[in-house]
């Protein structure tokens, strides 16, 4: 079975990473590498992207409303609440899956202190038009580039447009360190606050336990084992195509933590392959787009000319999501239903029809860089048999 996601590290990386994780310079080497890649002055590593979001809001210290798209990862509005702010949802546009400048403008109020510009699935949002709407306003602009390492907007890498940006090294992202995330900023005031705030972060996960988890994930996504693992997962947890989640109200223990050295090592090792990684993902996305463009039951995302996405998955819209999902599974292709919820709906707020539509119809085709063109063609052949 072809997995929906697969870690981007190799078995060789795991071995080298374990050794590197005991090298005291690994963390500072990764920070230096990210500083030069993003051309930013300050990089702070944390245990996850969501913790980096929490950190920047804490450092800003002006509790109030935070704008964010309602079609989003639930951990984002959760982190906003943990930091003492209030999530204020903005509906997305159907085709681009992102907030429009118009919707952002309509959502502004004197209570809004910050906004997350989310590059969902690695697709840059409408950055310039949103920045125009926010120009001259006293609002902290944070790019949520968690899934978008390497994505470009007007030829410039995303993560360099806001006051601060968040990237993630979680297992489904562009570069997987198994866990981990970073905050990037050129803002000296924020950086100073973050310098002291980071001392409050709890100890990171131990290299050995993380190594074992990463090894297990890498092993389980091998094709021969994956079908069995997926079957077990489906049986135990079920596979709903649409759900309403219950957001966490209280900050879990150990929520604000440092990035494990093993994760830093894995990411550092993979920075050398980032060009190849992105090129593979873009080739797969192009192939999906070409092969599925005439499908009667599958429609494709609308990507603006300004964007060169990074693609943690290739999202398509299918009205009968469950039937499509089952069809692909029967043919040994695992696709993802991420995200199968609207955050607004999960927070009990109505009136976000496009976010709900996305939750009900999005299927993600795999774009991990180890997928071959032949496998992608097979995925398209199977997809094209659906409803035809
Ligand atoms: C993955 C993701 C996050 C959270 O990153 P973690 O490292 O898992 O906390 C936040 N926002 C978006 C859009 C994401 O895709």
């Amino acid at each position: 079975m072809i997995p929906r996601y697969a870690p981007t590290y190799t078995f060789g990386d795991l071995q080298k990473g374990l050794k590197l994780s005991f090298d005291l310079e690994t963390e500072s080497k990764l920070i230096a590498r990210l500083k030069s890649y993003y051309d930013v002055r300050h990089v702070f590593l944390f245990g996850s992207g969501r913790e980096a979001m929490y950190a920047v809001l804490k450092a800003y210290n002006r509790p109030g409303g935070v704008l964010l798209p309602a079609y989003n990862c639930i951990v984002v509005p959760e982190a906003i609440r943990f930091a003492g702010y209030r999530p204020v949802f903005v509906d997305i546009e159907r085709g681009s899956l992102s907030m429009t400048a118009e919707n952002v403008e309509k959502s502004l109020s004197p209570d809004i202190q910050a906004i997350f510009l989310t590059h969902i699935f690695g697709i840059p949002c409408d950055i310039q038009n949103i920045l125009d709407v926010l120009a001259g306003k006293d609002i902290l602009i944070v790019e949520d580039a968690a899934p978008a390492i390497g994505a470009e907007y007007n030829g410039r890498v995303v993560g360099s447009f806001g006051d601060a940006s968040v990237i993630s090294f979680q297992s489904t992202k562009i570069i997987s360190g198994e866990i981990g995330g970073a905050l990037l900023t050129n803002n000296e005031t924020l950086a100073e606050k973050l310098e002291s705030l980071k001392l409050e972060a709890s100890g990171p996960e131990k290299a050995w336990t993380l190594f074992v988890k990463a090894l297990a994930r890498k092993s389980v996504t091998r094709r021969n084992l994956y079908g069995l693992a997926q079957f077990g997962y489906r049986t135990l947890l079920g596979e709903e195509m649409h759900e309403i989640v219950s957001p966490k109200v209280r900050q879990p223990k150990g929520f604000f933590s440092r990035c494990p050295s093993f994760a830093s090592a894995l990411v550092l090792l993979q920075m050398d392959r980032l060009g190849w990684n992105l090129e593979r993902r873009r080739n797969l996305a192009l192939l999906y787009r070409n092969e599925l463009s005439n499908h009667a039951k599958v429609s494709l995302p609308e990507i603006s000319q300004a964007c060169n996405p990074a693609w943690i998955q290739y999202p398509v819209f299918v009205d009968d999501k469950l039937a499509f999902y089952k069809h692909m599974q029967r043919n040994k292709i695992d696709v993802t239903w991420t995200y199968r919820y609207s955050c607004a709906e999960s927070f009990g707020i109505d009136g976000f029809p496009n976010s709900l539509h996305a939750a009900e119809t999005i299927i993600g085709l795999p774009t991990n860089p180890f997928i071959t063109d032949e496998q992608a063609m097979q995925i398209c052949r199977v997809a094209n048999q659906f409803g035809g």
Side-chain angles (χ1 to χ4, degrees):
M1 184 172 250
I2 300 177
R4 57 177 74 174
Y5 292 116
T8 55
Y9 44 76
T10 61
F11 284 107
D13 292 334
L14 293 178
Q15 204 174 23
K16 285 189 209 136
L18 190 60
K19 212 169 142 203
L20 259 186
S21 69
F22 296 101
D23 178 342
L24 294 176
E25 291 195 352
T26 296
E27 187 175 305
S28 53
K29 278 185 188 156
L30 176 60
I31 289 174
R33 194 73 191 253
L34 292 172
K35 278 183 185 169
S36 91
Y37 183 76
Y38 282 100
D39 194 18
V40 287
R41 285 196 296 276
H42 305 283
V43 171
F44 298 91
L45 300 178
F46 293 104
S48 63
R50 64 199 81 170
E51 290 162 70
M53 290 168 176
Y54 167 91
V56 70
L57 291 177
K58 274 285 192 191
Y60 192 55
N61 195 24
R62 278 173 34 183
V66 179
L67 295 179
L68 76 164
Y71 185 62
N72 210 328
C73 188
I74 195 75
V75 305
V76 181
E78 284 177 351
I80 290 171
R81 284 218 292 216
F82 299 159
Y85 294 70
R86 188 170 61 85
V88 178
F89 297 107
V90 178
D91 204 9
I92 58 165
E93 188 178 45
R94 276 203 181 194
S96 72
L97 293 166
S98 291
M99 302 186 288
T100 59
E102 200 187 345
N103 284 348
V104 168
E105 191 161 27
K106 276 192 229 149
S107 311
L108 289 173
S109 77
D111 177 49
I112 300 300
Q113 303 295 343
I115 181 170
F116 280 126
L117 303 189
T118 307
H119 309 308
I120 195 89
F121 306 137
I123 306 166
C125 69
D126 191 10
I127 300 176
Q128 195 53 57
N129 287 321
I130 299 177
L131 289 182
D132 287 347
V133 160
L134 299 171
K137 300 206 161 57
D138 193 14
I139 293 176
L140 179 77
I141 300 169
V142 180
E143 274 181 81
D144 179 355
I149 293 179
E152 292 168 18
Y153 182 83
N154 283 334
R156 191 167 132 198
V157 76
V158 304
S160 58
F161 290 89
D163 298 309
S165 302
V166 170
I167 54 175
S168 166
F169 313 128
Q170 188 242 83
S171 60
T172 63
K173 310 297 187 190
I174 300 291
I175 297 178
S176 169
E178 189 57 27
I179 61 172
L183 185 90
L184 324 169
T185 187
N186 276 323
N187 182 309
E188 299 299 333
T189 320
L190 281 178
E192 226 170 87
K193 295 258 181 62
L194 283 159
E195 233 12 282
S196 54
L197 194 66
K198 81 174 189 201
L199 302 174
E200 290 172 23
S202 57
E205 196 162 335
K206 293 276 176 293
W208 271 110
T209 47
L210 201 55
F211 172 80
V212 170
K213 279 187 203 167
L215 189 63
R217 190 188 302 278
K218 185 72 191 169
S219 307
V220 127
T221 45
R222 288 165 75 112
R223 293 190 71 179
N224 43 359
L225 263 179
Y226 188 76
L228 189 66
Q230 236 294 326
F231 177 77
Y233 179 86
R234 280 205 310 275
T235 311
L236 285 174
L237 298 174
E239 287 276 68
E240 296 299 325
M241 290 299 123
H242 172 218
E243 67 172 354
I244 298 174
V245 295
S246 313
K248 291 193 184 81
V249 179
R250 280 220 252 121
Q251 195 175 316
K253 215 171 137 250
F255 172 81
F256 185 51
S257 62
R258 301 204 298 276
C259 186
S261 57
F262 180 62
S264 299
L266 279 185
V267 176
L268 182 62
L269 288 166
Q270 293 176 77
M271 283 301 287
D272 291 334
R273 300 203 288 273
L274 180 57
W276 164 82
N277 180 337
L278 292 166
E279 189 185 308
R280 280 306 305 151
R281 292 176 187 275
R282 286 171 181 149
N283 282 344
L284 293 169
L286 190 64
L287 197 150
Y288 291 144
R289 199 184 71 189
N290 290 339
E291 297 298 318
L292 301 175
S293 59
N294 294 320
H295 203 299
K297 298 271 167 74
V298 173
S299 41
L300 308 180
E302 286 156 29
I303 308 300
S304 135
Q305 286 289 322
C307 300
N308 189 11
W311 305 114
I312 59 162
Q313 64 187 55
Y314 186 78
V316 299
F317 304 88
V318 191
D319 283 337
D320 194 346
K321 187 173 171 173
L322 180 62
F324 183 77
Y325 177 84
K326 285 187 172 161
H327 168 76
M328 299 302 278
Q329 290 266 334
R330 271 197 303 276
N331 289 282
K332 296 196 178 331
I333 294 158
D334 189 24
V335 293
T336 162
W337 29 245
T338 301
Y339 299 104
R340 51 184 171 168
Y341 52 78
S342 148
C343 290
E345 190 184 34
S346 295
F347 273 70
I349 312 166
D350 290 336
F352 297 82
N354 293 343
S355 299
L356 197 56
H357 174 262
E360 287 171 343
T361 60
I362 290 263
I363 285 282
L365 304 179
T367 55
N368 88 69
F370 298 115
I371 290 187
T372 62
D373 285 356
E374 290 70 36
Q375 287 177 317
M377 286 302 289
Q378 186 195 340
I379 291 169
C380 293
R381 264 196 306 278
V382 171
N384 276 322
Q385 284 158 8
F386 177 74

